[in-house]
Amino acid sequence: MKRRWNRRKWRDVISGYLFVSPSLIVLGAFFLMPILYAVFLSLHKVELLGGISYKFIGLRNFARIADDDRAWIGLRNTVEYALYVVPIQTIVAMLMASVLNSKIKFRNFFRVVYFMPTITSSAVLTLIFMWLYKSDGLLNDMLNFLGMDSFNWLGDPSVALKGIMIMNIFSTAPQFMVIYLAALQDIPDTLYEAAELDGAGTWRRFISITVPMLKPVTFFVVTMGLIGTFQLFDQAYILSNGSGGPDNSTLTLVLLIYQYAFKNLDMGYASALAFMLTCAIMIVTLIQRKLFGGEEKLN
């Protein structure tokens, strides 16, 4: 009886692993192995010309980061970008969702219109904003019409990164708006009705009911926003033609990794930078989770 039970147990275990083996193979081939290979590259000096060769140099690639001014510029730009974009896009997404969740006319139409920037290709959206940001483009014409000074959005180091921020908020806030909109529909109407009977106005109901009830969703939105902003690449690449200019003002860590890996063919150092970026994302996410108490609230 015991032998039969053991056979049945092992058969069930083997069957279970066979069922999940396709997923395990895909995860191993496209997730685990690239991570391990990146760690391997970060510990070596890699020669790609005249045949691939590896020379073990230990932690020298990581020590090199401390003396690389462009790495610190890329980190500073990335952090500045995240500090501006994440809070603004979160607030804008929450406000847009709250408005579209109310009983306004044509709300389904507005939901579709507001969501359209999200489904637009990032490259196409960047090209559209490059046209808007031209010195004689629509945005400067609007500023001049309002009696405000125009900007050299693409050539002035002080505003180039701000232009990417505006573009990113415009394209990502609608995506998070949909997430907030789904969460808002789960809040019981009885809470708002009771607050209204107590004399609470629209703004008071929003602050006292909507915002606290959306904290688990806000934790998710902020986390995804942080990860997305730290991975900024395509918009900075297209706007600066891959250089991170003007004057390194749009240079991000991911763009710098691309430059070292595919322009300088310095795969070892690029992998070290990628490892540093991963650690930075993990640290920021853990800090944000601690501040929001994400795990407790999600439960």
Side-chain angles (χ1 to χ4, degrees):
M1 185 73 177
K2 185 176 180 181
R3 180 183 299 175
R4 184 183 302 172
W5 183 85
N6 286 337
R7 287 179 180 175
R8 183 181 302 170
K9 178 182 177 182
W10 281 109
R11 186 168 60 247
D12 292 342
V13 170
I14 293 173
S15 299
Y17 277 110
L18 287 175
F19 276 114
V20 300
S21 59
S23 298
L24 293 177
I25 292 172
V26 171
L27 286 174
F30 297 101
F31 183 75
L32 183 59
M33 287 185 63
I35 292 175
L36 295 176
Y37 186 58
V39 174
F40 170 81
L41 290 177
S42 67
L43 301 175
H44 291 76
K45 179 178 176 60
V46 184
E47 294 290 344
L48 297 177
L49 300 177
I52 301 176
S53 63
Y54 306 96
K55 179 182 178 183
F56 180 77
I57 58 174
L59 299 176
R60 269 187 242 169
N61 282 326
F62 294 95
R64 180 178 161 191
I65 295 175
D67 299 324
D68 189 351
D69 292 337
R70 298 189 78 231
W72 293 108
I73 292 173
L75 179 61
R76 183 193 66 201
N77 290 340
T78 303
V79 171
E80 179 185 354
Y81 178 82
L83 288 176
Y84 278 99
V85 170
V86 174
I88 295 175
Q89 73 182 9
T90 302
I91 294 171
V92 170
M94 186 184 296
L95 293 175
M96 289 172 62
S98 298
V99 171
L100 293 179
N101 193 51
S102 62
K103 297 178 181 179
I104 61 172
K105 292 183 178 180
F106 309 112
R107 62 177 181 178
N108 290 332
F109 170 76
F110 287 117
R111 287 176 183 178
V112 174
V113 171
Y114 289 161
F115 188 69
M116 287 182 66
T118 300
I119 62 177
T120 304
S121 168
S122 179
V124 173
L125 194 65
T126 304
L127 292 174
I128 293 173
F129 269 84
M130 287 180 68
W131 173 74
L132 293 174
Y133 286 153
K134 291 171 61 176
S135 56
D136 57 347
L138 180 61
L139 186 56
N140 279 334
D141 288 343
M142 291 176 60
L143 292 175
N144 292 330
F145 178 77
L146 296 174
M148 303 171 64
D149 294 332
S150 59
F151 294 97
N152 183 7
W153 294 95
L154 301 178
D156 189 347
S158 63
V159 297
L161 187 62
K162 307 297 188 300
I164 299 179
M165 293 178 187
I166 295 172
M167 177 172 51
N168 194 272
I169 293 169
F170 176 80
S171 62
T172 56
Q175 177 184 357
F176 296 130
M177 175 201 71
V178 174
I179 299 173
Y180 273 123
L181 190 59
L184 283 170
Q185 294 174 0
D186 288 336
I187 300 177
D189 292 334
T190 53
L191 294 177
Y192 294 104
E193 293 170 358
E196 189 173 3
L197 290 175
D198 288 338
T202 303
W203 179 251
R204 184 64 181 176
R205 294 197 300 270
F206 177 77
I207 295 297
S208 301
I209 298 176
T210 304
V211 174
M213 293 293 288
L214 290 177
K215 278 187 178 179
V217 180
T218 301
F219 169 75
F220 172 78
V221 168
V222 172
T223 301
M224 297 305 295
L226 284 170
I227 294 173
T229 52
F230 270 81
Q231 294 177 337
L232 174 67
F233 169 74
D234 49 352
Q235 296 164 348
Y237 178 88
I238 296 173
L239 281 175
S240 66
N241 198 23
S243 66
D247 196 23
N248 292 326
S249 60
T250 60
L251 181 67
T252 63
L253 279 178
V254 179
L255 180 56
L256 184 64
I257 292 169
Y258 166 83
Q259 290 178 353
Y260 276 114
F262 299 104
K263 287 189 173 181
N264 300 346
L265 300 180
D266 194 348
M267 290 291 180
Y269 185 57
S271 299
L273 287 171
F275 189 81
M276 184 188 75
L277 175 62
T278 303
C279 293
I281 292 175
M282 291 177 61
I283 291 170
V284 171
T285 303
L286 290 174
I287 293 173
Q288 182 262 340
R289 175 179 164 184
K290 186 71 175 178
L291 293 175
F292 273 82
E295 190 171 274
E296 293 80 2
K297 288 181 172 59
L298 286 171
N299 291 332

